[in-house]
């Protein structure tokens, strides 16, 4: 399963929102507005002046030095009412470039009603099973999951009301890679077998 906890954020939610809004104005070429697809907007924040987000990432990585985590890629997702990231698996692989073995999700700001949900993948039926009850997302929530979780559970997130600003870190880790090799764990992407177009927009 994914690990969910609380992270003391070094800055206020309003400060993160102000930085994200400033990035939108200053670097529109690095903002993917996805309102027509009813998906959260995606910001490639590392292409601009996002000192608060960068400082938050640095502090998080310093707190877990024994895991040897390296960020391969990172986005900020901006959820507003009606936006959803539908059922999916993360594209985890030790051999792709850049590699990804774990995902870290940090909610920088949340006001209103926001949810994440997990669902078992039935490989034999090539379908999703019965979804678990959704969980509410609040500011400072951190969620970490790796290949083992990603192999067997799909996940989704959506905003019912208000706004949620989310930092997503797609990472590799030498420590995780060694543990995977020791137990024979490999990434098993099955999304091509079970995905349905309606998963993108239907709750």
């Amino acid at each position: 399963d994914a690990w969910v906890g609380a992270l003391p954020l070094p800055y206020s939610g309003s400060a993160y929102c102000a930085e994200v809004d400033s990035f939108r104005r200053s670097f529109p070429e690095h903002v993917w507005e996805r309102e027509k697809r009813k998906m959260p907007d995606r910001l490639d924040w590392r292409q601009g002046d996002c000192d608060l987000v960068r400082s938050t990432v640095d502090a998080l990585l310093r707190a877990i030095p024994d895991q040897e985590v390296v960020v391969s890629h990172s986005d900020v997702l901006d959820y507003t009412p009606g936006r959803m990231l539908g059922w999916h698996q993360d594209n985890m692989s030790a051999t792709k470039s850049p590699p990804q073995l774990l995902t870290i999700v940090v909610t920088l700001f949340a006001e209103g009603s926001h949810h994440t949900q997990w669902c078992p993948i039935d490989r034999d039926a090539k379908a999703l099973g019965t979804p678990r009850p959704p969980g509410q997302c609040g500011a400072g929530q951190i969620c970490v999951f790796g290949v083992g979780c990603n192999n067997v559970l799909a996940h989704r997130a959506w905003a019912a009301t208000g706004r949620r600003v989310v930092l997503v870190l797609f990472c590799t880790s030498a420590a995780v890679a060694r543990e995977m090799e020791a137990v024979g764990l490999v990434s098993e992407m099955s999304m091509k077998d079970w995905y349905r177009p309606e998963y993108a927009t239907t709750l």
Side-chain angles (χ1 to χ4, degrees):
D1 282 8
W3 179 85
V4 178
L7 180 71
L9 295 173
Y11 307 101
S12 68
S14 59
Y16 287 118
C17 286
E19 183 167 84
V20 167
D21 293 340
S22 176
F23 181 92
R24 283 179 170 277
R25 293 189 297 270
S26 301
F27 303 96
E29 68 275 19
H30 297 301
V31 179
W32 286 263
E33 295 186 348
R34 304 190 288 185
E35 182 177 7
K36 291 183 178 179
R37 299 173 62 188
K38 297 183 178 180
M39 297 175 67
D41 291 346
R42 182 165 67 91
L43 290 70
D44 188 0
W45 65 269
R46 294 195 293 182
Q47 302 301 319
D49 300 324
C50 286
D51 293 339
L52 303 189
V53 175
R54 183 171 289 105
S55 175
T56 302
V57 173
D58 290 344
L60 174 59
L61 296 183
R62 285 197 302 269
I64 50 173
D66 57 318
Q67 297 301 306
E68 304 172 72
V69 173
V70 176
V71 178
S72 300
H73 180 69
S74 178
D75 291 318
V76 164
L77 300 181
D78 198 351
Y79 287 85
T80 52
R83 304 288 189 98
M84 181 171 73
L85 197 59
W87 290 119
H88 67 284
Q89 291 173 285
D90 281 12
N91 186 20
M92 293 189 181
S93 171
T95 57
K96 75 172 188 174
S97 181
Q100 183 190 349
L101 297 180
L102 69 155
T103 300
I104 303 173
V105 182
V106 180
T107 299
L108 302 177
F109 173 83
E111 184 176 69
S113 179
H114 305 273
H115 303 277
T116 57
Q117 191 173 28
W118 298 84
C119 184
I121 299 169
D122 187 336
R123 295 183 181 278
D124 293 335
K126 296 184 177 181
L128 294 182
T130 301
R132 296 178 177 178
Q136 179 77 18
C137 303
Q141 183 188 80
I142 180 172
C143 174
V144 183
F145 62 96
V147 171
C149 175
N150 195 63
N151 282 350
V152 298
L153 294 172
H155 61 285
R156 64 178 179 177
W158 70 92
T161 62
R163 184 184 188 186
R164 179 184 177 219
V165 177
V166 183
L167 171 66
V168 186
L169 305 175
F170 304 102
C171 307
T172 187
S173 161
V176 171
R178 289 193 295 270
E179 183 65 21
M180 287 176 57
E181 183 176 6
V183 300
L185 177 63
V186 297
S187 180
E188 299 175 354
M189 293 295 299
S190 59
M191 191 168 165
K192 62 180 177 58
D193 296 324
W194 57 257
Y195 183 77
R196 307 288 183 271
E198 58 267 26
Y199 289 164
T201 57
T202 303
L203 282 176

